[in-house]
């Protein structure tokens, strides 16, 4: 596994002894991108530190340099690319993971993206890529409001991949969420964050 964009990080699957790890790094990018990348990596490492011990989240293993973070490899596929169909136990466990993430004060903000959901070799879920996440330990009401974005992303993925598992209550929440998304200012926060990150990357890249 090696994923790279001109302005994005290199993401590599590496073997260290008997263990596989994922290295996400900007160390080989041009200087302006390295500077921005170091900030992004530092923030993501901070988020991982807040989620340490949460089952279904990659473990942060280290920061070999300011532009790099290393996490434990979660075997399996993401929901965008897998041919496997997640079932009830998958989504029940996934809901538990999201609840535990929120309990640590973290909101993911990109759970509409199926690439951020993994399914391991036993059919169980995990969640990755916390680069756009926020840490909101307080006030609680703000975390709850932002957390609704995560739950809406979860329900949209569930409705797409396993519509027979979506309850009447969940369908109602999906309909209300779709309507309110046009009115809620908070719904623009994840997009604004991602646009700002892209702006910084492109701005520094083309200087």
């Amino acid at each position: 596994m090696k994923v790279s964009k001109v302005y994005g990080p290199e993401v590599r699957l590496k073997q260290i002894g008997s263990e596989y790890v994922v290295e996400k790094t900007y160390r080989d990018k041009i200087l302006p991108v390295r500077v921005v990348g170091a900030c992004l990596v530092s923030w993501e490492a901070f988020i991982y530190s807040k989620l340490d011990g949460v089952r279904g989240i990659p473990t942060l293993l280290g920061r070999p340099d300011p532009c790099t973070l290393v996490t434990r490899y979660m075997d399996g596929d993401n929901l965008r690319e897998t041919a496997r169909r997640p079932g009830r136990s998958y989504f029940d466990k996934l809901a538990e993971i999201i609840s535990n993430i929120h309990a640590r004060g973290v909101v993911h903000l990109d759970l509409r993206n199926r690439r951020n959901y993994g399914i391991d070799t036993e059919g169980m879920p995990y969640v990755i890529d916390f680069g756009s996440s926020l840490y909101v330990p307080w006030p609680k009401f703000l975390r709850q409001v932002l957390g609704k974005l995560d739950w809406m992303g979860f329900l949209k993925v569930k409705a797409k991949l396993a519509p027979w598992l979506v309850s009447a209550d969940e369908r109602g929440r999906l309909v209300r969420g779709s309507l309110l998304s046009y009115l809620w200012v908070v719904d623009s926060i994840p997009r604004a964050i991602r646009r700002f990150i892209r702006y910084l990357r492109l701005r520094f890249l083309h200087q």
Side-chain angles (χ1 to χ4, degrees):
M1 175 179 69
K2 181 178 179 181
V3 180
S4 177
K5 298 179 182 178
V6 173
Y7 56 82
E10 302 280 347
V11 182
R12 304 183 181 99
L13 177 63
K14 304 177 72 173
Q15 185 172 6
I16 301 178
S18 60
E19 184 178 41
Y20 284 94
V21 303
V22 176
E23 179 187 75
K24 184 175 186 178
T25 184
Y26 292 84
R27 73 164 71 91
D28 298 324
K29 302 297 181 178
I30 61 174
L31 180 59
V33 177
R34 287 205 306 274
V35 172
V36 175
C39 295
L40 298 175
V41 162
S42 179
W43 177 253
E44 190 167 3
F46 169 76
I47 294 294
Y48 276 123
S49 73
K50 295 300 178 183
L51 298 175
D52 185 44
V54 175
R55 193 173 181 84
I57 304 298
T59 302
L60 178 65
L61 298 177
R63 297 283 310 281
D65 60 68
C67 297
T68 305
L69 65 79
V70 177
T71 56
R72 181 166 285 113
Y73 174 58
M74 308 287 280
D75 196 10
D77 300 301
N78 67 63
L79 289 189
R80 181 77 175 183
E81 299 171 354
T82 186
R84 305 176 69 181
R85 284 292 178 181
R88 184 178 301 278
S89 60
Y90 178 94
F91 284 104
D92 287 347
K93 185 62 180 177
L94 182 55
E96 182 181 333
I97 292 171
I98 295 171
S99 292
N100 290 337
I101 289 171
H102 292 170
R104 295 290 185 94
V106 173
V107 285
H108 190 286
L109 293 182
D110 196 17
L111 291 184
R112 297 181 183 184
N113 185 349
R114 281 180 284 157
R115 288 189 176 89
N116 291 333
Y117 297 99
I119 182 168
D120 67 19
T121 53
E122 297 180 353
M124 289 294 100
Y126 56 90
V127 177
I128 62 172
D129 196 354
F130 289 83
S132 299
S133 300
L134 292 178
Y135 179 56
V136 191
W138 54 269
K140 184 178 180 180
F141 82 88
L142 177 58
R143 185 172 72 247
Q144 290 174 334
V145 169
L146 293 173
K148 289 181 184 297
L149 299 177
D150 284 353
W151 287 116
M152 189 57 56
F154 163 82
L155 286 177
K156 287 188 174 183
V157 170
K158 184 177 180 180
K160 184 174 185 64
L161 299 182
W164 59 90
L165 295 177
V166 179
S167 67
D169 177 66
E170 288 174 331
R171 290 190 185 281
R173 287 160 58 192
L174 274 171
V175 171
R176 291 192 298 273
S178 297
L179 292 173
L180 288 174
S181 67
Y182 294 103
L183 303 175
W184 288 0
V185 174
V186 73
D187 190 51
S188 67
I189 292 175
R191 294 195 298 272
I193 291 171
R194 289 193 288 273
R195 284 198 299 268
F196 181 64
I197 290 172
R198 285 196 295 268
Y199 166 78
L200 288 177
R201 287 170 171 168
L202 293 171
R203 169 80 173 176
F204 281 110
L205 180 66
H206 293 298
Q207 276 188 340

